[in-house]
Amino acid sequence: MATAMNVTSACFYLESNRRSVHGVRVVASKNFSVSKTEEDKVKLGASDLKVSRLGLGAWSWGDTGYWNNSEWDDAKTKAAKSAFDVSIDGGITLFDTAEVYGSWLLNGAVNSETLLGSFIKERKQKDPEVEVAVATKFAALPWRLGRQSVVKALKYSLSRLGLSSVELYQLHWPGIWGNEGYIDGLGDAVEQGLVKAVGVSNYDESKLRNAYKKLKERGVPLAANQVNYSLIYRQPEENGVKAACDELGVTLIAYSPMAQGVLTGKYTPENPPSGPRGKIYTPEFLTKLQPLLKRIKEIGQSYSKTNTQVILNWLLAQENVLPIPGAKNSQQAEEFAGALGWRLTSEEINELRSLAQDIIPLGFAQTIGK
């Protein structure tokens, strides 16, 4: 989703949804899956926060503009809730959302944070000991100035989520101005106990280093930089972001790790994605993609794995990378867990990289937000 699309929806949503943030009671747990040991988790950067090696992205939850071409309804809510429950059951307990996800209210959308909060509440009623880690994001809108805007927005997010704190709070994209204040706001959120770790998203190498330095000065580690990263979109490797994350000890959270579904093999030149994604993943592009998809499938068959599980495993093999694939239903969520517990060979990793070398989706750039 282009950053402009996020900003447009955010402008409407945030101005029309001011509400009280009092009465928040539920607290997200510090640990993340009762069925998994500490060895099955990874630390986010230099923070003390440990999370599952895969997360679940909630970008599509509540959306009616980019991911869903019809009004959000009870059936979609039920499917998303099933994805949430199946993820937890499979040990994937980190959920990534944002205040602007599902903010196309004129089209009947429902805010993603609100949905996630309701799922957590319902699950805790059945299993009070269930452990869930929540990551959400601050929209760096032009009129939001100063450090206080970050804390204020976080409190609104906490109200929608029904939580008194979250595990990870991220700046969704760099602001046109005011970034110094935003970084200060992240530090304030940590000191006020509203969040356990902080990160950024869609930050280039220079902005990443500046954020890291400014937070370090007040003793707060920059835990993560969330960027677009997949087998066919490797710009973080080319623009210095991946290397900087590795050097600084900042976890790279990979959104769109399946290239918005096209690496799963579900789309073909005859059946491209609908809506805005169809302008990126055109029939011409999908034709060019077929040899890579064929090889992914062959490798997967040798492990009894699906395309999805192979491409997620490829990302995990890059080290210091935490993919957050999105799931609309339980079938998709269940599939993700199969990416864990095994590893592609070095030869297979390099072969897939070589086959994908010249495949770049039309119009993609690091500035594309999500």
Side-chain angles (χ1 to χ4, degrees):
M1 181 188 296
T3 299
M5 186 180 296
N6 272 334
V7 172
T8 301
S9 62
C11 291
F12 177 83
Y13 175 75
L14 295 173
E15 286 304 305
S16 60
N17 281 269
R18 305 301 184 190
R19 65 172 74 180
S20 170
V21 297
H22 299 298
V24 179
R25 296 185 180 87
V26 184
V27 183
S29 301
K30 290 183 179 180
N31 302 314
F32 306 104
S33 178
V34 294
S35 62
K36 297 291 180 179
T37 66
E38 286 297 308
E39 289 73 21
D40 293 312
K41 304 185 184 75
V42 293
K43 285 185 65 177
L44 278 187
S47 75
D48 294 329
L49 180 62
K50 287 186 176 182
V51 297
S52 51
R53 287 183 53 78
L54 282 176
L56 193 78
W59 180 8
S60 68
W61 293 1
D63 171 76
T64 59
Y66 191 78
W67 292 101
N68 302 291
N69 297 323
S70 59
E71 185 169 331
W72 190 262
D73 55 26
D74 290 342
K76 292 186 178 69
T77 297
K78 183 177 180 180
K81 174 62 165 57
S82 295
F84 170 83
D85 285 326
V86 167
S87 295
I88 290 178
D89 293 340
I92 297 174
T93 53
L94 171 65
F95 296 87
D96 180 83
T97 184
E99 61 178 332
V100 299
Y101 292 170
S103 56
W104 294 87
L105 295 185
L106 289 176
N107 295 330
V110 178
N111 181 265
S112 175
E113 289 179 327
T114 301
L115 287 170
L116 177 57
S118 69
F119 299 163
I120 293 171
K121 180 179 180 180
E122 184 176 340
R123 180 78 182 221
K124 282 183 173 290
Q125 288 174 341
K126 297 178 181 178
D127 180 8
E129 301 303 315
V130 69
E131 298 169 334
V132 181
V134 174
T136 191
K137 307 182 197 72
F138 168 84
L141 301 168
W143 61 81
R144 284 180 157 175
L145 302 175
R147 62 205 301 166
Q148 70 280 357
S149 65
V150 175
V151 174
K152 184 177 180 180
L154 174 54
K155 288 180 178 179
Y156 280 121
S157 287
L158 291 173
S159 178
R160 287 186 290 271
L161 286 160
L163 303 173
S164 60
S165 69
V166 291
E167 277 64 31
L168 177 66
Y169 196 49
Q170 305 151 96
L171 303 180
H172 204 154
W173 58 80
I176 300 173
W177 49 68
N179 289 298
E180 293 276 320
Y182 296 156
I183 299 299
D184 286 334
L186 290 181
D188 293 344
V190 173
E191 292 179 357
Q192 292 180 33
L194 300 174
V195 62
K196 298 176 179 63
V198 293
V200 294
S201 180
N202 298 303
Y203 269 47
D204 63 22
E205 180 187 359
S206 176
K207 290 183 174 64
L208 171 68
R209 290 184 180 278
N210 288 338
Y212 174 88
K213 180 180 179 181
K214 190 167 181 62
L215 285 169
K216 186 178 181 181
E217 289 172 353
R218 58 189 296 184
V220 176
L222 179 65
N225 184 18
Q226 185 176 144
V227 296
N228 185 4
Y229 186 34
S230 70
L231 177 59
I232 60 171
Y233 186 77
R234 300 174 308 283
Q235 191 169 352
E237 298 175 357
E238 300 159 2
N239 62 15
V241 166
K242 176 67 165 63
C245 285
D246 294 346
E247 173 194 337
L248 300 174
V250 175
T251 298
L252 190 155
I253 298 178
Y255 71 77
S256 295
M258 301 179 297
Q260 301 183 2
V262 299
L263 286 176
T264 67
K266 67 183 292 186
Y267 299 113
T268 65
E270 298 74 30
N271 179 39
S274 60
R277 286 182 293 161
K279 297 179 180 179
I280 300 171
Y281 304 109
T282 63
E284 293 79 11
F285 172 80
L286 291 169
T287 298
K288 189 176 182 180
L289 190 63
Q290 294 310 301
L292 174 61
L293 292 179
K294 181 175 182 291
R295 185 57 184 141
I296 291 172
K297 184 176 181 179
E298 291 171 348
I299 292 174
Q301 288 174 338
S302 70
Y303 291 95
S304 297
K305 298 293 182 180
T306 66
N307 279 29
T308 294
Q309 292 161 349
V310 170
I311 57 182
L312 290 175
N313 192 272
W314 185 91
L315 273 177
L316 290 168
Q318 306 311 307
E319 304 297 342
N320 193 36
V321 175
L322 196 161
I324 50 168
K328 295 182 181 180
N329 54 58
S330 60
Q331 291 79 14
Q332 293 173 342
E334 186 174 15
E335 188 177 10
F336 298 156
L340 300 170
W342 62 286
R343 183 183 174 94
L344 294 165
T345 68
S346 297
E347 292 76 15
E348 289 164 341
I349 292 167
N350 293 332
E351 180 187 5
L352 291 177
R353 178 186 294 278
S354 178
L355 287 171
Q357 196 66 40
D358 298 321
I359 301 175
I360 302 175
L362 179 66
F364 257 50
Q366 182 62 33
T367 53
I368 287 181
K370 47 70 64 193

